Amino acid sequence: MKKIVVLTGAGISAESGLRTFRDANGLWEGHDVMEVASPEGWHKKRTLVLDFYNQRRRQLKEVQPNAAHDALVKLEHAFKVDIITQNVDDLHERAGSSSVIHLHGELLKARSTQDEHLVLDWHEDIKEGDLCPKKSQLRPHIVWFGEMVPLLDTAAALTAQADYILIVGTSMQVYPAASLINYAKPDAQIFFIDPKPNIHSQANLKVYAEKASTGVPTVVTQLLNN
C-alpha cells in the first residue's frame, strides 16, 4: 500500500473558525506570542497563560472539522496515511483520521510541570492548583518557543517513507517543522495547497493556489482516481 504524509498548519484550522496568531504582527489574540507561548511567559504570568489556553480550549469545542479534514479521511480507503500537524486542535481526529502526530502539542491534554512525560487527557479549564499525580502544577501540553519538539524524529522518519506528500495550510516557514520536506524521497510526489503559495518550484511538485477546503478535496479525488 502506498504511503501518504500530510503536513498541515494553521490554514486548515482557520477555515473551521479557529484564529491563528501568525496572521497579524505576531500577536495572538492581542498578546505577544512570547508572553503566552514560552517558558519565560509561564514563569512570569502563569495565570495569564492558563487563561489564554483555557479560552482556546473553550473555542475549540465550538467549531467543527471542515471539508479539508473530511477529505483527508477518504485517503485512508486506498493509502497508508499519516497526518503531521503543527496544529494543537483535535479537528483531524474528530473528522476520523486514524494517525495524527501533533508536533506542537495538544490543547485537549495537560502535562506535569515536573515530568514532561506525564500527560493527561484534559478537556476543561486548567486552573492554579490543578496538580498531576506527582503533586506538581499542570500546564498546557503545548510545545512553546524554546522547547524541544519531541515527535520531530518520528515525523521525519514517516516523511522519508512517503510516496506522496500533501502540504496544506502552512507556509513551511516555521522551523523545525519546515525542515521535514527535506526528508522527502527524490521521487515523492508533492502537492502544495495554499491560497498564497510561496514554495519554490521543484521536481514532482504540483501547486494549488486554493484554500484548504477546496484544494484538498481536489487533490484527494485525483489520488483516489489514479
Side-chain angles (χ1 to χ4, degrees):
M1 181 177 283
K2 295 279 190 177
K3 296 179 180 179
I4 293 180
V5 158
V6 186
L7 307 176
T8 69
I12 192 170
S13 296
E15 287 198 65
S16 287
L18 289 177
R19 295 172 68 178
T20 64
F21 73 80
R22 290 194 173 270
D23 285 345
N25 303 320
L27 295 179
W28 197 353
E29 300 282 329
H31 297 283
D32 183 288
V33 293
M34 298 307 288
E35 190 176 45
V36 293
S38 72
E40 295 76 18
W42 169 251
H43 291 306
K44 289 179 182 177
K45 298 181 179 180
R46 180 177 295 183
T47 301
L48 172 70
V49 174
L50 287 174
D51 180 61
F52 177 82
Y53 290 98
N54 289 341
Q55 290 183 45
R56 308 281 78 70
R57 201 176 296 106
R58 290 178 214 143
Q59 185 194 19
L60 178 55
K61 296 177 182 180
E62 299 171 357
V63 301
Q64 300 296 328
N66 60 56
H69 297 102
D70 294 336
L72 291 174
V73 180
K74 297 176 182 176
L75 285 175
E76 296 191 21
H77 298 314
F79 299 92
K80 171 69 174 71
V81 181
D82 293 290
I83 293 176
I84 301 169
T85 186
Q86 298 173 54
N87 301 331
V88 296
D89 58 68
D90 68 335
L91 295 177
H92 283 300
E93 287 90 342
R94 272 198 262 162
S97 289
S98 61
S99 176
V100 185
I101 292 174
H102 290 268
L103 289 179
H104 295 162
E106 298 179 62
L107 263 181
L108 298 183
K109 292 184 178 178
R111 82 167 184 251
S112 168
T113 49
Q114 179 181 331
D115 180 358
E116 66 181 28
H117 300 294
L118 182 48
V119 180
L120 308 173
D121 289 328
W122 203 274
H123 289 240
E124 304 306 321
D125 289 358
I126 303 175
K127 301 181 292 291
E128 289 266 16
D130 284 337
L131 305 180
C132 76
K134 294 185 177 181
K135 307 302 182 187
S136 70
Q137 172 67 42
L138 288 169
R139 56 161 275 183
H141 182 48
I142 303 295
V143 178
W144 287 328
F145 290 101
E147 294 184 324
M148 297 291 290
V149 180
L151 294 175
L152 190 64
D153 287 346
T154 300
L158 289 170
T159 305
Q161 299 168 11
D163 300 293
Y164 302 95
I165 298 173
L166 277 63
I167 303 171
V168 185
T170 173
S171 64
M172 295 302 289
Q173 301 297 309
V174 181
Y175 286 85
S179 65
L180 288 174
I181 197 66
N182 298 329
Y183 292 91
K185 295 191 295 186
D187 60 343
Q189 178 72 61
I190 301 172
F191 301 88
F192 189 85
I193 304 162
D194 193 88
K196 299 177 181 177
N198 61 353
I199 196 168
H200 295 297
S201 181
Q202 61 188 73
N204 302 324
L205 171 68
K206 291 186 177 180
V207 177
Y208 296 77
E210 300 181 49
K211 60 185 182 179
S213 61
T214 59
V216 173
T218 297
V219 172
V220 167
T221 299
Q222 290 177 9
L223 286 167
L224 292 176
N225 287 342
N226 288 339

